[in-house]
Amino acid sequence: MPHCLKTVLDEAVKIVNMIKGKSLNTHIFKVLCDEMGSEHMKLLFHTEVRWLSRGKVLTRLFELRDEVKLFMHQTDELYDRMHDFQWLATLSYLADIFSFLNSLNLALQGETVTIFTVQDKIKAARIKMDLWCTRLDRLEFDNFPTLADFLLTADEVLGNDTIAAFKEHLRGLHTHLGRYFPELDVDLEWIRNPFGDKPQIELVSSKLSARETDSLVDIASDGSLKMAFREKSLTDFWIYIQPEHPELAQSALKILMPFSTTYKCEVAFSALVSLKTKQRNQINVAPSMRLRLSSLEPDIQSVMQNMHQHHSSH
């Protein structure tokens, strides 16, 4: 992130934390918003936010900018920022780009997300960023709705240095996303679509053993498996055919099973935070975590019945 954008982000966080850091400020600000008929009554506290929800914090701050102007005193360190057009324009851009990244992050989460899903989403995001840079050269801001609305109502022109910073940021995001999510080998396409024709099978046969290639031919020629492929998720499909084609299915699952994102780690951390309370501050949380994260539903009634029988026998 360019220094000027990082400065605006840090200053926005300071403003939010200044208002939310004291209960009296929060109460006064709520009363002010209520009297002005504002859609929102409070700001989101930055330090309480997880994942990429920072976009929600910036969006809320921008939407309540008029209320924040009235709340802040002239002696406040960052008072002038809420009256600075370029600063507010940068804030609106950051709100839009973080909201976009938050949506992208959500699209990469879930039990059925595979490395192929992630690759498709990241590829689309990087192409969009290239297009956005081109549109910024033409002073088109439709891809940044908050910024576009602000420029329309403010009736001022965005500075060239600010636009250049936006483009530098988008190019940096484009580069880093490509580094974190490198493109997949085209020879792995058979995992996503095992029903290719003869030329496609011959193309990937050099990466597979003779037995795996024969299994791929059998799968591609099986009409009933095509129906199963449409009805099941990609991972479930390869597990389904594993008994009949063990070697090929194992090769596919080695690619599909590893975590494609940190989603499950984030879910585990969230579960841990809810478990480690003052009331339940136990040292060993492994059993509770296992229950919380497992996709299996425990049969509580049977467990309780067995325990009752066990105690009755004694």
Side-chain angles (χ1 to χ4, degrees):
M1 182 178 290
H3 178 70
C4 58
L5 268 63
K6 183 66 167 61
T7 301
V8 171
L9 177 61
D10 292 341
E11 290 174 345
V13 170
K14 284 183 181 179
I15 292 173
V16 173
N17 289 345
M18 179 196 71
I19 297 174
K20 293 289 291 183
K22 296 181 179 179
S23 58
L24 179 61
N25 286 351
T26 303
H27 177 71
I28 295 174
F29 187 73
K30 183 179 180 181
V31 172
L32 176 64
C33 292
D34 188 38
E35 291 178 350
M36 294 183 66
S38 303
E39 182 180 355
H40 306 295
M41 293 294 117
K42 61 181 180 179
L43 294 168
L44 297 175
F45 203 11
H46 176 258
T47 54
E48 294 175 354
V49 176
R50 290 189 201 143
W51 295 357
L52 286 175
S53 297
R54 187 176 294 179
K56 296 179 182 178
V57 179
L58 300 177
T59 300
R60 182 69 62 85
L61 175 62
F62 186 81
E63 290 173 349
L64 292 174
R65 62 189 181 279
D66 292 332
E67 291 80 358
V68 174
K69 284 179 187 177
L70 291 175
F71 180 82
M72 295 181 69
H73 195 269
Q74 291 185 3
T75 57
D76 289 330
E77 177 187 359
L78 300 174
Y79 173 80
D80 294 337
R81 301 296 188 274
M82 302 306 298
H83 299 268
D84 186 332
F85 168 76
Q86 298 294 336
W87 191 93
L88 289 171
T90 303
L91 176 65
S92 63
Y93 162 79
L94 289 173
D96 285 330
I97 200 66
F98 272 109
S99 296
F100 168 75
L101 291 174
N102 190 42
S103 298
L104 176 62
N105 184 48
L106 291 174
L108 303 182
Q109 299 173 13
E111 297 292 336
T112 59
V113 171
T114 66
I115 192 171
F116 297 102
T117 311
V118 172
Q119 186 64 42
D120 290 343
K121 297 292 184 182
I122 295 298
K123 182 179 180 181
R126 297 181 72 207
I127 293 174
K128 288 178 184 177
M129 289 172 185
D130 282 335
L131 292 173
W132 294 348
C133 285
T134 304
R135 290 168 187 163
L136 284 175
D137 287 332
R138 301 197 297 262
L139 301 182
E140 296 176 3
F141 306 100
D142 294 339
N143 296 113
F144 309 101
T146 308
L147 174 60
D149 291 343
F150 175 65
L151 294 178
L152 190 64
T153 55
D155 196 25
E156 292 192 46
V157 179
L158 203 57
N160 292 331
D161 292 341
T162 305
I163 294 176
F166 294 170
K167 289 170 60 181
E168 182 184 350
H169 183 226
L170 289 172
R171 292 193 188 103
L173 284 174
H174 181 279
T175 301
H176 283 289
L177 285 174
R179 186 180 303 160
Y180 292 139
F181 300 95
E183 292 189 11
L184 294 176
D185 191 340
V186 293
D187 293 333
L188 296 176
E189 192 64 26
W190 63 269
I191 299 175
R192 177 157 55 174
N193 179 25
F195 301 99
D197 52 20
K198 183 180 177 182
Q200 290 174 317
I201 293 175
E202 290 177 343
L203 190 64
V204 300
S205 61
S206 60
K207 301 291 184 178
L208 302 173
S209 67
R211 187 173 296 180
E212 288 174 334
T213 304
D214 290 345
S215 292
L216 187 58
V217 172
D218 291 337
I219 295 170
S221 306
D222 193 329
S224 61
L225 287 181
K226 290 182 180 180
M227 296 180 60
F229 185 76
R230 287 193 292 266
E231 295 171 355
K232 298 179 181 294
S233 68
L234 193 57
T235 305
D236 288 341
F237 171 78
W238 284 106
I239 293 174
Y240 171 72
I241 66 172
Q242 190 174 19
E244 189 175 354
H245 306 283
E247 292 185 11
L248 187 65
Q250 186 177 7
S251 297
L253 291 172
K254 283 181 179 179
I255 301 298
L256 294 172
M257 293 303 290
F259 299 157
S260 52
T261 66
T262 60
Y263 163 68
K264 291 191 175 182
C265 297
E266 298 281 3
V267 171
F269 279 123
S270 298
L272 181 61
V273 168
S274 63
L275 287 172
K276 292 286 285 186
T277 61
K278 289 183 179 179
Q279 292 75 20
R280 302 180 61 188
N281 193 17
Q282 54 184 339
I283 297 176
N284 182 18
V285 296
S288 300
M289 287 282 288
R290 191 176 295 111
L291 273 175
R292 191 69 176 269
L293 299 175
S294 175
S295 58
L296 300 176
E297 290 289 338
D299 189 348
I300 301 297
Q301 187 174 357
S302 297
V303 172
M304 295 301 295
Q305 187 175 0
N306 291 335
M307 288 183 65
H308 179 70
Q309 293 176 354
H310 177 72
H311 287 299
S312 299
S313 63
H314 287 282

